[in-house]
Amino acid sequence: MRHWSTTLGLADKLVTEKDRLFRLILLSSVAALVSCTGTAEQSAVSSSSTEEKLPNILFILSDDHAWNDYGFMGHELIETPALDQLASEGVTFSRGYVPTSLCRPSLATIATGLYAHQHGITGNDPSRLLPGGKQGETYQQQRAEIIAKVDELDTIAELLGEQGYVSLQTGKWWEGSFARGGFDEGMTRGFPNPGGRHGDDGLTIGRNGIGEITDFIDRAKAQDKPFFVWYAPFMPHTPHTPPERILAKYRDQMYRGNPLPISVAKYFAMVEWFDETNQQLFDYLESAGVKDNTLVVYVSDNGWVTNPSMSERFLPRSKQSPGESGVRTPIMFSWPERLAPQMRAEVVSSIDIVPTVLAAAGIEVPSTLPGENLLPDMLEQSPIDRTAIFGEGFAHDMDDLNNPESTLLYRWVIEGEWKLILSYDGKNVSYQKYHKDVLAPPRLYNLMQDEHETQNLASEHPQIVERLSQKLTEWYPLKEREVLQ
């Protein structure tokens, strides 16, 4: 097991008494089985029995998917019956967030439970301004250096592997081959192989069926092993190439009083196509007899708002933005055997996924993880004791690979009804047109009254701006960057 960094810039979190009590309850049956065995053979039988009690785990990670583009979130046109059913059966946090609204750092957070400034993967690529450009030797060397960061981190696949899980990677995966992420099996060969930037062969999952996943689950069942599946299909991400049978449902539709542009219709159809693949997964879990003891976790890596006049392009204030359309996403946990259906309004973050899943698997949550173990409160249907959540955004291209501050563009905090966004003077060499609205003086929004962030109230509430700014400083202090005023 790799060592957790002791220089994360945050004080170690104390494990609460509730967490301790929960782990004792969850693990009591395991201890009882082991304590009553008298021979090595009996112990092996008991170990096998406890492994069967561990939940299987399925991560479903959609890609470039707006927070309100689901039936259960109230969309007027998009049909998502599979995810609607998941929402009705599990615990749904309608106000979930990812700290960083760019796919690579966001996925690295989901895989490690760390913020981007902690795991160090803050952007998608090295700087395109390096000598020789994207084809230059320095650029390729830095690509390898960024990937190497995962070698120093404990991933969810590795931690579950220590508990006897077998794991499979499919879909989006930026950090080299699947093996570097601690997966036993996978589809992505990774850089420097052709197409290895963010998934290569893995990107066919979903669009070309889910056979790799169902075959893997069959093998895990045959071995009596609990399984962990990373399903991060390249959906509804571009290219927006939905089947005509789905696109026909959205083509020429009226939406909010206007004809639906074809670029938007294709994106809507991609969301439904993605949902169809989830239905295939859920049907298979049911037919394989493993649905009740499978913990399904759903989250999107970042938001997206389609440009109505340009095919396969997004609008500012969505992807790469600190706005709600960039960082907000529903987060769902479905475990039919243990979790009662709940629709919850508390704010949660993708940093909470790793500690929650580890707890469900009977693994002690490392104190260095900044997220919350949500499982006790989901089981007890009790309020989550949290005052604020945080996020940060960096330039698409990394600059100083070992200094996250070098490309820091914004940080944000949500406390109660208030959301504060501060922008910074980090180096930014690409996608500048998408950051014009980001690189601005402090913005304060009342999300309960203005969830689309149309009215900046910073000048009206300077005391709130000051208080929330101090919370960002306490989250982690900056050494170099200055707030834009």
Side-chain angles (χ1 to χ4, degrees):
M1 177 176 179
R2 294 166 181 162
H3 294 292
W4 288 89
S5 173
T6 57
T7 58
L8 295 179
L10 291 174
D12 285 356
K13 293 177 54 184
L14 295 178
V15 180
T16 66
E17 289 300 323
K18 180 184 288 185
D19 289 335
R20 291 194 184 96
L21 178 60
F22 168 73
R23 286 198 299 271
L24 287 173
I25 295 172
L26 188 65
L27 296 176
S28 61
S29 61
V30 177
L33 281 169
V34 173
S35 66
C36 68
T37 56
T39 66
E41 182 179 4
Q42 288 172 323
S43 180
V45 171
S46 296
S47 177
S48 175
S49 299
T50 56
E51 281 187 347
E52 292 174 359
K53 295 179 183 296
L54 294 173
N56 305 304
I57 297 164
L58 168 62
F59 277 17
I60 299 176
L61 315 174
S62 62
D63 196 339
D64 289 0
H65 191 163
W67 67 268
N68 46 2
D69 288 347
Y70 309 79
F72 70 91
M73 292 294 286
H75 200 279
E76 303 99 309
L77 282 184
I78 295 176
E79 296 183 13
T80 55
L83 290 174
D84 294 352
Q85 183 69 23
L86 187 72
S88 70
E89 293 177 348
V91 182
T92 300
F93 293 95
S94 60
R95 295 185 65 207
Y97 289 84
V98 291
T100 309
S101 57
L102 182 63
C103 49
R104 186 176 187 176
S106 181
L107 290 173
T109 290
I110 294 168
T112 65
L114 300 173
Y115 289 110
H117 74 272
Q118 295 174 318
H119 58 61
I121 304 167
T122 61
N124 279 0
D125 300 297
S127 173
R128 60 197 65 193
L129 299 184
L130 289 170
K134 291 185 177 182
Q135 304 306 316
E137 182 178 348
T138 303
Y139 189 92
Q140 304 309 315
Q141 287 176 346
Q142 288 204 4
R143 286 183 70 181
E145 289 177 30
I146 298 170
I147 291 171
K149 291 179 181 292
V150 78
D151 299 335
E152 304 304 318
L153 301 167
D154 282 317
T155 67
I156 183 68
E158 289 171 327
L159 294 170
L160 290 173
E162 295 176 2
Q163 187 74 331
Y165 281 77
V166 290
S167 56
L168 171 72
Q169 170 273 329
T170 69
K172 204 87 167 277
W173 181 255
W174 290 77
E175 312 314 323
S177 73
F178 66 87
R180 293 186 82 162
F183 294 92
D184 297 304
E185 301 182 31
M187 297 179 65
T188 293
R189 293 170 287 110
F191 175 80
N193 292 295
R197 177 172 176 260
H198 56 2
D200 53 72
D201 295 345
L203 302 182
T204 63
I205 197 69
R207 293 174 184 253
N208 292 350
I210 59 167
E212 288 84 358
I213 295 176
T214 57
D215 290 347
F216 170 78
I217 293 175
D218 286 343
R219 292 193 297 274
K221 283 187 62 184
Q223 300 171 37
D224 292 324
K225 290 282 190 178
F227 60 78
F228 167 52
V229 173
W230 174 279
Y231 177 55
F234 209 36
M235 303 173 79
H237 195 288
T238 60
H240 292 160
T241 55
E244 178 59 33
R245 62 180 173 79
I246 303 179
L247 179 59
K249 296 170 60 175
Y250 298 97
R251 194 192 301 274
D252 302 323
Q253 284 270 18
M254 295 294 292
Y255 182 58
R256 297 178 181 174
N258 297 297
L260 193 65
I262 188 62
S263 61
V264 180
K266 287 182 176 180
Y267 163 73
F268 284 5
M270 285 299 301
V271 174
E272 183 171 339
W273 192 18
F274 164 67
D275 190 75
E276 279 192 0
T277 71
N278 292 319
Q279 189 63 62
Q280 294 166 5
L281 281 172
F282 301 155
D283 289 346
Y284 180 78
L285 294 177
E286 183 80 49
S287 65
V290 297
K291 176 182 176 180
D292 287 348
N293 195 36
T294 296
L295 172 59
V296 178
V297 180
Y298 172 79
V299 64
S300 175
D301 66 348
N302 54 249
W304 173 276
V305 177
T306 299
N307 189 321
S309 60
M310 296 180 66
S311 179
E312 302 187 348
R313 294 292 186 272
F314 59 96
L315 291 177
R317 299 188 66 183
S318 60
K319 183 174 181 175
Q320 299 191 41
S321 160
E324 295 288 278
S325 293
V327 296
R328 184 173 170 183
T329 171
I331 295 179
M332 294 187 277
F333 298 88
S334 175
W335 187 3
E337 204 168 79
R338 298 294 304 277
L339 295 175
Q342 302 160 57
M343 185 66 70
R344 303 186 61 146
E346 299 121 310
V347 290
V348 297
S349 172
S350 62
I351 63 165
D352 303 328
I353 291 175
V354 170
T356 301
V357 169
L358 292 180
I363 300 171
E364 184 170 355
V365 179
S367 62
T368 45
L369 287 181
E372 298 286 338
N373 169 16
L374 304 177
L375 194 54
D377 288 322
M378 291 194 294
L379 288 169
E380 300 165 14
Q381 302 188 46
S382 55
I384 297 169
D385 184 15
R386 165 186 270 158
T387 59
I389 64 169
F390 301 91
E392 57 193 347
F394 305 83
H396 179 280
D397 293 7
M398 296 177 66
D399 182 51
D400 184 339
L401 302 190
N402 296 311
N403 178 14
E405 273 194 50
S406 65
T407 55
L408 181 66
L409 299 183
Y410 59 79
R411 296 194 297 177
W412 54 266
V413 55
I414 295 176
E415 180 192 65
E417 61 191 338
W418 296 105
K419 177 179 179 180
L420 176 69
I421 304 172
L422 299 182
S423 295
Y424 300 92
D425 57 348
K427 189 172 183 180
N428 182 27
V429 302
S430 63
Y431 290 92
Q432 287 95 338
K433 69 177 181 179
Y434 295 102
H435 295 136
K436 287 181 181 178
D437 186 57
V438 172
L439 302 178
R443 283 137 289 162
L444 179 70
Y445 302 104
N446 186 319
L447 295 179
M448 295 299 98
Q449 301 175 5
D450 181 22
E451 67 180 357
H452 296 291
E453 300 165 307
T454 60
Q455 186 176 9
N456 181 6
L457 302 175
S459 62
E460 299 177 28
H461 300 282
Q463 300 92 342
I464 297 176
V465 171
E466 176 62 27
R467 178 170 56 80
L468 294 182
S469 296
Q470 182 59 34
K471 277 190 171 290
L472 286 169
T473 298
E474 293 168 358
W475 176 35
Y476 69 94
L478 300 179
K479 299 177 181 179
E480 303 172 18
R481 299 275 66 83
E482 297 292 335
V483 176
L484 299 183
Q485 300 290 349

